[in-house]
Amino acid sequence: MDKNIMYKRIYEVYNKCNITSLPINCFKILDAYNIKYMSFSSATEKQKCHHATSDAFTVKNTVFYNDTVFERRTAFNIMHEFGHYIMEIPDGTEKDEDDADYFASCILAPRILIHHLTSKKNADEIHDLFGLSYAASNMAVSDYKKWILNIQTKPNRAPSDSEKKLYLLFKPEKVTPQPCPVIQEKIAAKQEISHSDITNEQCKRWIAYLQKREKKKG
């Protein structure tokens, strides 16, 4: 799979869907491309028999997905199916499925956004910011290291134009972080927020965002 073409498609998706927050909304993407979707729970037995998989599959422009797994895995599975569609990846060989997996990883956590929007570049940050499972986050970390090494060591190698344009959509000041439920509950209850409430990167980013927003109001 040509990575330059892949990132061109990813940029087009982000731009078309006006994606301005992370994690991305996979169902919003399917809606924008007029792709129907249905959970396994809602599908008939006949529909579910079309494909022997426990994750997701596509039949006649409808993505059927397993809604009994963790939400982060569901997102990956849906973007895997979307990858088959947008990248015109055939369905069948192991390489085809690996390519669709790679697309899913890159659209959910573009390497250039990992580079610019995370500080430690580790699985915890990617898990919190991009909404990947820890298994997928570790794979993204490993691939990011290859991505940055390639840029740093190979002559004339730089992020593609599409990657650069993707980053321009996601300059830090434009990104609305995912709200932290713990912090939001404290605010709603008018309770004081303590250091013990700030348990992960999502909480830290949300606190920083709220503080910045209040400063602008002042």
Side-chain angles (χ1 to χ4, degrees):
M1 182 169 61
D2 188 314
K3 291 183 181 179
N4 285 329
I5 294 176
M6 181 191 72
Y7 269 110
K8 182 180 179 182
R9 295 287 177 269
I10 289 173
Y11 167 73
E12 290 169 353
V13 171
Y14 272 64
N15 195 40
K16 177 184 177 75
C17 298
N18 193 29
I19 295 173
T20 58
S21 63
L22 298 167
I24 65 174
N25 185 327
C26 298
F27 295 108
K28 179 180 178 181
I29 291 173
L30 296 185
D31 287 336
Y33 284 84
N34 297 314
I35 299 173
K36 299 175 183 178
Y37 46 88
M38 182 179 292
S39 67
F40 281 6
S41 298
S42 302
T44 65
E45 289 303 316
K46 183 178 180 180
Q47 288 171 323
K48 285 188 282 189
C49 285
H50 273 288
H51 210 289
T53 178
S54 60
D55 295 325
F57 62 90
T58 303
V59 175
K60 295 181 179 179
N61 201 46
T62 299
V63 173
F64 293 87
Y65 64 93
N66 188 346
D67 54 333
T68 65
V69 297
F70 288 117
E71 183 179 350
R72 295 167 192 265
R73 182 174 173 184
T74 298
F76 189 94
N77 293 339
I78 289 172
M79 287 297 95
H80 171 104
E81 293 302 311
F82 182 67
H84 280 290
Y85 165 80
I86 199 71
M87 293 299 297
E88 299 181 352
I89 300 170
D91 193 357
T93 70
E94 184 176 347
K95 182 183 182 304
D96 294 336
E97 298 311 303
D98 287 345
D99 283 347
D101 275 348
Y102 188 70
F103 173 86
S105 175
C106 289
I107 193 171
L108 289 167
R111 306 318 183 226
I112 196 164
L113 296 188
I114 292 176
H115 183 68
H116 287 290
L117 302 183
T118 65
S119 56
K120 297 178 182 177
K121 321 304 187 211
N122 61 24
D124 285 332
E125 281 190 310
I126 292 171
H127 172 273
D128 292 341
L129 180 59
F130 296 100
L132 271 66
S133 67
Y134 275 111
S137 295
N138 279 309
M139 290 174 62
V141 169
S142 178
D143 190 65
Y144 166 76
K145 290 178 180 177
K146 295 176 185 176
W147 179 88
I148 192 63
L149 183 65
N150 193 34
I151 289 173
Q152 291 173 340
T153 60
K154 292 190 177 180
N156 303 319
R157 175 65 177 96
S160 66
D161 289 341
S162 295
E163 288 176 288
K164 292 174 183 176
K165 288 194 291 184
L166 180 60
Y167 170 59
L168 290 178
L169 294 177
F170 268 77
K171 281 187 175 180
E173 62 268 20
K174 292 186 177 182
V175 176
T176 302
Q178 192 77 356
C180 175
V182 174
I183 302 301
Q184 288 301 93
E185 286 178 12
K186 288 272 187 174
I187 292 173
K190 297 183 179 180
Q191 297 176 352
E192 186 176 343
I193 298 169
S194 66
H195 286 293
S196 62
D197 296 319
I198 306 173
T199 57
N200 56 39
E201 289 296 323
Q202 182 181 352
C203 292
K204 291 177 184 177
R205 281 191 299 273
W206 188 240
I207 287 288
Y209 171 75
L210 293 177
Q211 290 173 339
K212 187 175 181 180
R213 191 173 66 179
E214 286 301 312
K215 188 179 291 186
K216 284 184 178 180
K217 287 181 181 178

